[in-house]
Amino acid sequence: LSLAKEINRQWSKIDQKAAILIQVNLGEESSKSGTTAADLEALVRQVAELEHLDVKGLMALPPWCEDPEDVRPYFRQLRELAGRIKELHLPGVVMTELSMGMSHDFQVAIEEGATLVRVGTAIFGERNR
C-alpha cells in the first residue's frame, strides 16, 4: 500500500492516472515481493480509493519449476483471483491484464490466461552474472 500511495502522489503532480498491476506472491517466497492471495482483496480495495491509479490486473512470479506444468496451478490461481476481484466492480479496477509466465513456461501461462509474458531469456539468452 505504501508503494501505491507514493505512485499516486507522484502521478497527482501531473494530474494523470498510472495504470498498474498488483503483484501477488503466490508461493509466499521471502525473496519475492507482493501481497499474499489472502490479503489481495483488502489491498485492491485500498488501492482503488487512490484517485491517480487504475488497477489493470495482477502479476505473479511463481516459484521456479523445471517442468512448466508444475507452475500451472499458480497461473490458474492468479486467473481465479483476478476473476474474484473483477466481480467486486470496484472503481478504477478492471482486471484486463494478467502478467505471468517467463521464457520456459510462457506457453502454460498463456493457456491459463496470461496477457503479458516475460520472455527476455528466449530473446536475449541467459544472463551473464
Side-chain angles (χ1 to χ4, degrees), residues 12-33:
S12 73
K13 293 176 182 179
I14 58 170
D15 197 28
Q16 299 278 328
K17 286 194 168 211
I20 66 165
L21 303 176
I22 302 289
Q23 184 168 329
V24 185
N25 187 345
L26 296 175
E28 298 185 18
E29 297 171 273
S30 61
S31 62
K32 294 181 181 166
S33 299

Side-chain angles (χ1 to χ4, degrees), residues 7-20 47-56 90-93:
I7 295 168
N8 185 69
R9 188 176 74 77
Q10 294 298 325
W11 281 74
S12 73
K13 293 176 182 179
I14 58 170
D15 197 28
Q16 299 278 328
K17 286 194 168 211
I20 66 165
V47 172
E49 294 177 10
L50 301 173
E51 64 183 270
H52 294 283
L53 299 183
D54 281 332
V55 180
K56 298 296 185 183
L90 299 170
V93 179

